[in-house]
Amino acid sequence: MTPKELAALLESEGAPRFRGAQLFEWLWRHHADHYRNISVWPEKLRQHMAERYPLTRLTRVESQVAHDGTTKLLLRMADGQRVETVLLPHRYGYSVCVSSQVGCAMGCKFCASGLKGRVRQLTAGEMADQVAFGNQVLSERGAKISRIDVMGIGEPLDNFDNLMRFLEIVHDPAGFNLSYRHITVSTSGLVPAMKKLADSGLPVTLAVSLHAPNDALRLQLMPVNRAYPLAKLIPMCRYFVETTGRRVTFEYLLLDHVNDGEAEAHQLGELVRGFPSHVNLIPWNPVDEHPFQPSPKERVRRFQSIVQEYGISCTIRRELGQEIDAACGQLRLREEEQVSP
Ligand code: SF4
């Protein structure tokens, strides 16, 4: 819940509204995992709330730490469902990649997360608790999270209301006090929800998973393209830029001899030139269940230089945490297979 929602809840339970602000702070600043931790509350209120609204927090099932510090966490929620969260080291500090759903309904052909479909939405609290858990892990390294990417398992814009409450919680000074400018929300291209996000006016960065520069190829890789083809998606990206003043990042996964040829690079340049954007080329992390191969380094560099010829900022994503199950959804999938072979 947001601070306002908590104030209303406490009021409805017969307590003063300011107890809501206190609860918010104890949840996210002091990481209380039981009401008895909230030392500023009278005993009667702690007991009452514990009976009415039991507090639950994420717990660790497994973690993997790569040599570069990349840390992948598999976390369990109160109903036993599991979710992945990844901590990524950068020059400026750490970012966290937050999941927004258990599984995913979008069915992208290259993705481990969508293999078994969407199980359920995450609540705003379950998303915020991934950030809190990440901070607890990082505190042992004298570090903390300074950027958030809502880019883990799930399609965040398919969980719009919880996403918006999550953004409010992490932005709140009594929460994580993170600037919206340090938060990136990704989407596979849900055009109506992109409009809602733009109209909210929040200056977050939007990362659009493009992965193909024409409809025929994109449709093969991403079923969402049937409902929202490029002729709808690209104008909505322009609208987002015009409305928020923020540039759009286009994510482009490079799959050997599928979407990484010179013709595709030129099509991409034509498609996204002319408005503030950035293209992020992503080397493919093989997933056993999918047939694709990573593009060789020279094809990746050739692709990048063609896109740059169009005056577009284009970088190749650093490969972090290579020795761990680095692709999204792989840890959850492997753990599920071990639990139920
Ligand atoms: S790539 Fe993202 S949107 Fe597509 S299936 Fe995977 S988690 Fe869902």
Side-chain angles (χ1 to χ4, degrees):
M1 289 184 173
T2 63
K4 255 194 208 146
E5 289 169 337
L6 282 178
L9 177 76
L10 268 294
E11 192 175 38
S12 72
E13 296 298 323
R17 285 181 67 84
F18 72 86
R19 296 290 187 206
Q22 287 177 332
L23 178 53
F24 187 84
E25 193 171 326
W26 277 81
L27 281 174
W28 303 122
R29 277 279 174 85
H30 307 301
H31 207 84
D33 53 11
H34 198 284
Y35 291 103
R36 64 174 165 266
N37 301 141
I38 307 178
S39 55
V40 293
W41 273 15
E43 180 57 26
K44 210 172 141 196
L45 181 59
R46 289 187 229 163
Q47 275 181 14
H48 175 80
M49 290 297 283
E51 280 161 23
R52 295 269 292 147
Y53 305 98
L55 272 189
T56 56
R57 304 219 68 139
L58 300 179
T59 54
R60 186 189 324 226
V61 179
E62 187 182 337
S63 51
Q64 297 178 336
V65 185
H67 285 110
D68 61 15
T70 301
T71 304
K72 193 157 197 174
L73 301 163
L74 185 66
L75 304 172
R76 182 183 288 112
M77 293 171 285
D79 64 353
Q81 292 291 346
R82 284 152 290 198
V83 76
E84 281 183 23
T85 304
V86 186
L87 307 170
L88 297 147
H90 304 275
R91 269 196 306 275
Y92 59 77
Y94 274 83
S95 66
V96 61
C97 186
V98 168
S99 293
S100 57
Q101 298 177 318
V102 182
C104 182
M106 306 313 293
C108 302
K109 300 296 182 219
F110 44 78
C111 173
S113 305
L115 280 173
K116 294 188 176 174
R118 186 182 69 201
V119 179
R120 73 164 171 86
Q121 307 284 19
L122 293 197
T123 65
E126 287 165 338
M127 294 168 71
D129 215 11
Q130 294 174 58
V131 184
F133 203 103
N135 269 336
Q136 280 198 313
V137 170
L138 291 179
S139 68
E140 292 157 18
R141 303 177 200 172
K144 67 179 214 177
I145 289 160
S146 47
R147 286 178 189 260
I148 296 177
D149 298 318
V150 192
M151 249 185 212
I153 299 174
E155 162 56 65
L157 297 189
D158 183 36
N159 189 9
F160 192 83
D161 293 345
N162 286 324
L163 172 74
M164 296 307 280
R165 290 150 94 229
F166 163 74
L167 294 176
E168 197 175 330
I169 291 168
V170 293
H171 176 67
D172 195 287
F176 298 88
N177 199 21
L178 282 170
S179 159
Y180 287 123
R181 289 170 187 276
H182 292 164
I183 301 173
T184 298
V185 174
S186 79
T187 182
S188 58
L190 293 181
V191 169
M194 288 167 69
K195 179 161 191 318
K196 270 166 74 180
L197 184 65
D199 291 342
S200 76
L202 298 187
V204 295
T205 300
L206 184 65
V208 175
S209 299
L210 199 57
H211 306 320
N214 61 65
D215 281 324
L217 185 54
R218 195 161 188 268
L219 197 52
Q220 283 177 33
L221 299 173
M222 303 178 72
V224 67
N225 201 76
R226 194 176 308 281
Y228 305 113
L230 295 172
K232 289 186 178 167
L233 178 61
I234 299 299
M236 185 49 68
C237 294
R238 286 179 190 274
Y239 179 80
F240 186 88
V241 170
E242 286 159 14
T243 311
T244 64
R246 305 285 292 156
R247 72 179 182 178
V248 168
T249 298
F250 290 105
E251 306 288 336
Y252 198 102
L253 195 61
L254 284 163
L255 308 168
D256 191 25
H257 285 89
V258 175
N259 64 354
D260 66 342
E262 294 191 4
E264 283 86 19
H266 283 290
Q267 285 175 9
L268 181 61
E270 292 289 349
L271 190 68
V272 304
R273 74 196 305 187
F275 69 103
S277 69
H278 175 86
V279 172
N280 194 19
L281 301 176
I282 309 169
W284 161 250
N285 259 316
V287 174
D288 288 347
E289 293 76 6
H290 296 306
F292 304 112
Q293 294 300 320
S295 301
K297 284 207 163 59
E298 53 287 3
R299 276 178 85 79
V300 174
R301 277 194 290 269
R302 178 75 188 125
F303 196 97
Q304 179 190 29
S305 68
I306 292 174
V307 174
Q308 286 171 335
E309 283 168 18
Y310 287 80
I312 297 161
S313 147
C314 178
T315 50
I316 301 167
R317 186 187 283 179
R318 262 191 320 143
E319 295 178 74
L320 291 166
Q322 276 189 302
E323 73 269 33
I324 60 179
D325 290 324
C328 246
Q330 281 185 322
L331 190 58
R332 174 171 166 266
L333 201 64
R334 180 171 56 68
E335 209 260 355
E336 271 188 359
E337 278 160 2
Q338 283 169 2
V339 172
S340 53

